[in-house]
Amino acid sequence: MDTVTNQKALGLYEKYQVTRTDGQSAPGQKHENSQYYVLNLTTDKHAIPAISAYAKSCEKEYPILAEDLRTIVRNTMQASDELVTVPETTLPCGTVVPEFMVGKYAASKSEIGTAIITANRKPWHSINFHDAKKACIDAGYTLITEMQYLAIAHQIVNQGENWTSGKVGEGEVYRGLHQGKVNEAQDGHYESDEETERRWHVLANGERVYDFSGNIYSWVFDDVQGDENGVIAKPFADDSATKTTAPYGNREHGIGDTSTGRDWSGNALVRGGYWYSDDNACVFYLYNVWPDNDYDYVGFHCTKSL
């Protein structure tokens, strides 16, 4: 019988001898007979959820300890974050978007309320624009910007693998989940039985990204029309990258609803579409909503500069 099987059969047993560095575990001292339960934070998959729960329990009495424990949890979880590199992109307007990294999936929420990037969880939703920005920053990332989203969309429509025909300009760009066959955003492993609802797209370097069209909207920090907070601050100029990057007209070839005729000042940009966007959904789909509201159909993508 191997060691793993033995441990499963034993339950709680004495495995470690603990000695306090302050000498309080010595004979006759306060903690001579204290009992301890030791966790292996490196290899024990149950240890991180355990110290997360302990941090929540002790935070009022020991706030510094709670934060230290949460830092361990956060760093451990984010060590598995899945990001891909987006190559430098020159948009049709001539603007060059530098190389950066983006979450392969829409951000998810960890047990301690931090942003993580994984296929194993459903996207974090019901979070407003401002809190999404903060969640990205707290995780060491930034919220995807309008120029970054446009760079990804531009690369997507120029790869034949992202078209239903296999050739750029023929057929439609895959839209992701948009036909309303589910009633909430799905995790990264979910696959639709509808061929046109393929969720992933290929970038120019062959990397795959998910849910830039359908499943869940993404909050976007507007660095084109926006103010210092990323909220739309002026009407869309005719030569704005927001209006000139899409290679086809509104709703043509499955690129989605790209109309921007109104002044959306005061609102925040969302892009991509969600599980029930129907024909509006696609990589260039552009919409606006109130930045202070929490919507169950809006999530966010994290990015990282290189």
Side-chain angles (χ1 to χ4, degrees):
M1 189 177 292
D2 61 30
T3 303
V4 174
T5 304
N6 276 332
Q7 290 180 357
K8 288 182 177 179
L10 284 172
L12 189 64
Y13 66 100
E14 186 175 338
K15 187 175 183 181
Y16 300 97
Q17 291 183 343
V18 178
T19 302
R20 291 177 61 101
T21 59
D22 61 3
Q24 290 296 304
S25 58
Q29 298 299 314
K30 178 181 178 181
H31 294 290
E32 177 185 359
N33 296 311
S34 293
Q35 292 183 314
Y36 300 89
Y37 185 81
V38 179
L39 296 173
N40 185 334
L41 299 179
T42 304
T43 61
D44 185 346
K45 66 180 181 180
H46 304 292
I48 294 302
I51 66 170
S52 177
Y54 190 87
K56 183 176 181 180
S57 177
C58 76
E59 61 184 344
K60 290 184 179 180
E61 190 174 2
Y62 300 103
I64 297 177
L65 172 61
E67 182 54 32
D68 287 345
L69 292 174
R70 288 194 173 105
T71 297
I72 293 173
V73 175
R74 182 166 54 249
N75 291 343
T76 301
M77 288 183 168
Q78 288 180 205
S80 300
D81 280 355
E82 296 188 61
L83 295 97
V84 301
T85 299
V86 180
E88 178 181 283
T89 309
T90 302
L91 300 179
C93 64
T95 300
V96 176
V97 181
E99 181 182 56
F100 64 97
M101 299 191 78
V102 67
K104 187 173 183 177
Y105 308 95
S108 300
K109 188 176 184 180
S110 74
E111 287 92 343
I112 61 168
T114 57
I116 55 176
I117 305 167
T118 176
N120 298 326
R121 295 173 181 244
K122 293 180 179 179
W124 189 345
H125 59 80
S126 301
I127 178 172
N128 66 48
F129 173 73
H130 308 292
D131 289 343
K133 287 195 300 179
K134 184 178 185 302
C136 289
I137 292 171
D138 288 346
Y141 305 122
T142 54
L143 181 65
I144 192 168
T145 68
E146 171 69 342
M147 293 302 289
Q148 289 174 332
Y149 208 108
L150 289 172
I152 291 172
H154 180 67
Q155 289 195 27
I156 286 174
V157 298
N158 282 288
Q159 313 306 315
E161 193 171 355
N162 298 322
W163 289 74
T164 55
S165 68
K167 185 176 180 180
V168 174
E170 295 184 8
E172 294 188 342
V173 179
Y174 285 105
R175 297 175 183 270
L177 305 182
H178 66 284
Q179 297 183 18
K181 296 195 172 186
V182 295
N183 57 13
E184 63 178 348
Q186 303 297 302
D187 67 34
H189 297 296
Y190 178 86
E191 294 182 9
S192 172
D193 57 6
E194 293 289 336
E195 183 180 348
T196 58
E197 285 197 305
R198 197 190 77 184
R199 298 174 58 187
W200 55 267
H201 294 96
V202 175
L203 301 178
N205 59 0
E207 294 277 16
R208 287 187 180 185
V209 291
Y210 286 72
D211 297 337
F212 280 85
S213 169
N215 193 40
I216 194 164
Y217 282 108
S218 180
W219 288 112
V220 175
F221 185 105
D222 190 354
D223 57 347
V224 181
Q225 293 79 210
D227 59 17
E228 68 277 8
N229 297 311
V231 174
I232 306 168
K234 60 184 178 182
F236 297 91
D238 289 340
D239 61 352
S240 164
T242 298
K243 297 190 71 169
T244 61
T245 303
Y248 306 101
N250 191 31
R251 298 175 185 270
E252 292 182 7
H253 291 294
I255 68 166
D257 188 341
T258 62
S259 56
T260 57
R262 300 182 297 279
D263 183 354
W264 291 346
S265 296
N267 283 356
L269 287 179
V270 293
R271 279 194 175 274
Y274 76 115
W275 66 87
Y276 200 47
S277 287
D278 200 23
D279 288 343
N280 288 331
C282 203
V283 291
F284 279 104
Y285 183 27
L286 180 69
Y287 196 52
N288 71 108
V289 291
W290 187 242
D292 294 331
N293 287 357
D294 303 339
Y295 304 93
D296 65 354
Y297 51 83
V298 182
F300 59 98
H301 281 85
C302 298
T303 63
K304 185 176 183 179
S305 298
L306 290 174

